[in-house]
Amino acid sequence: MRDTQTIFYMEWSDEHVTTVGIDVTTHFHAYVVRQGRVDLLVNGEKIRLESGTGLLVAPGQLIKRTGSADQTRLVEIKVDPYDLFAPVMAQQYVTPFLNMPRLTRKQLSPTNRHEKAVLDTIDKTARTLKSDTPFSRLDAVLQSTVLWRYWIQQPTDEPRRVTGQDRMTAMIAHIHDHVTERLTLEQIAAAGGLSRAECCRYFMKWCATTPLAYVCDVRMEAAARQLRGTGDPIAKVAEDFGYSSVSHFVQTFKKVHKVTPLAYRKGKRAN
């Protein structure tokens, strides 16, 4: 990922498309599949993107990449729309469109002339950022402004209303804020103001998993980041995540990442 301060640009291959956690973001997202097929969960709804198609997602949604076909290449661009405008302009072209009910996402097909132009703009923005020329950032901002203009011009009739999004967001935030702790189902449910049974139903709908399985996945993803980013002994990483037994930590890590922590640190990944 390259941080351009204003725009974030990522290009995922098939081995990196699937993610553990859910992205609860304030950014405006634009995706295009250059090759293969990608499945995403947006607010708990499964969306399949085939090669050549794309997706726009409004700020503040819950997004998870859940799978891909072989030889997949997915481009993702995300931007905070407030970064595209001066404050006075943002009050006119951003704030009103975040504070009113609107569509949460829109799929893009190359068979539609207008949507094809949007897909081309996403692709152009990605190529501009990748080129890293003296004016690439400026050009990418201008292109992203075109994408945002297209988005806010979409009709607001029959907006997609997302029930329970605030509760789900609160539970996910609680998990990520307490990633090194041994969370219980009761604590997670309480963060969303739900019963344990309701909490489980929410996670199955929005994440296609159970609350405690999601906690385990998020903890092991955080552990993987620590293994990649530090030279800490595996015993210390296990201790940092509340494991008194290193072997238990290794077993749990391997269950999630399909390789041992040591193999992961050496750069080996599951096929």
Side-chain angles (χ1 to χ4, degrees):
M1 180 177 74
R2 183 188 310 161
D3 184 349
T4 64
Q5 297 182 2
T6 298
I7 302 171
F8 296 88
Y9 157 69
M10 288 74 72
E11 185 165 342
W12 309 97
S13 61
D14 56 290
E15 61 180 316
H16 298 117
V17 168
T18 301
T19 51
V20 169
I22 289 182
D23 188 5
V24 185
T25 178
T26 58
H27 290 77
F28 173 57
H29 283 250
Y31 297 92
V32 63
V33 181
R34 286 180 171 165
Q35 182 180 350
R37 185 195 74 239
V38 176
D39 294 330
L40 298 99
L41 279 177
V42 180
N43 298 328
E45 181 178 355
K46 186 175 180 179
I47 298 170
R48 172 157 291 180
L49 300 179
E50 303 288 348
S51 179
T53 66
L55 182 72
L56 299 176
V57 183
Q61 311 309 310
L62 282 70
I63 308 170
K64 181 180 181 182
R65 301 187 303 277
T66 61
S68 69
D70 293 337
Q71 304 301 314
T72 293
R73 291 174 62 209
L74 172 69
V75 168
E76 176 185 7
I77 294 169
K78 63 179 183 179
V79 58
D80 185 337
Y82 281 106
D83 288 340
L84 300 175
F85 302 94
V88 173
M89 296 282 283
Q91 289 302 312
Q92 182 175 356
Y93 294 113
V94 179
T95 303
F97 299 96
L98 296 180
N99 292 338
M100 67 174 64
R102 296 190 59 79
L103 295 173
T104 58
R105 52 91 174 168
K106 179 176 176 59
Q107 288 184 253
L108 303 169
S109 170
T111 60
N112 180 292
R113 180 170 59 89
H114 298 294
E115 294 175 9
K116 174 66 164 60
V118 179
L119 288 165
D120 290 344
T121 302
I122 299 171
D123 222 16
K124 185 178 180 181
T125 306
R127 290 197 305 271
T128 299
L129 290 168
K130 201 171 183 178
S131 68
D132 202 21
T133 62
F135 293 99
S136 60
R137 188 179 305 172
L138 174 60
D139 291 339
V141 169
L142 294 173
Q143 291 152 7
S144 298
T145 304
V146 171
L147 294 174
W148 181 251
R149 177 182 176 180
Y150 173 83
W151 176 253
I152 65 177
Q153 288 179 310
Q154 296 308 298
T156 56
D157 295 337
E158 299 182 6
R160 298 173 58 83
R161 301 188 182 278
V162 184
T163 23
Q165 183 172 335
D166 289 344
R167 294 180 186 273
M168 195 67 211
T169 300
M171 290 189 289
I172 290 172
H174 185 80
I175 290 171
H176 284 269
D177 288 344
H178 300 82
V179 67
T180 60
E181 301 175 18
R182 287 187 174 276
L183 288 172
T184 66
L185 180 57
E186 289 81 0
Q187 291 170 326
I188 299 168
L194 298 171
S195 69
R196 293 187 303 172
E198 288 173 320
C199 174
C200 292
R201 284 196 292 270
Y202 266 68
F203 270 83
M204 286 306 299
K205 174 185 175 183
W206 293 74
C207 308
T209 188
T210 66
L212 295 181
Y214 183 81
V215 169
C216 180
D217 287 346
V218 170
R219 294 178 79 201
M220 290 304 101
E221 185 64 28
R225 288 195 298 270
Q226 186 169 335
L227 287 168
R228 290 195 304 266
T230 73
D232 293 342
I234 291 172
K236 183 181 185 307
V237 178
E239 182 182 355
D240 288 347
F241 286 90
Y243 286 85
S244 56
S245 165
V246 175
S247 62
H248 184 202
F249 170 74
V250 171
Q251 290 171 1
T252 306
F253 188 95
K254 187 175 181 180
K255 182 178 179 182
V256 173
H257 293 287
K258 313 305 180 188
V259 294
T260 66
L262 182 60
Y264 188 92
R265 170 167 273 166
K266 290 180 177 179
K268 296 178 182 178
R269 302 290 186 270
N271 294 325

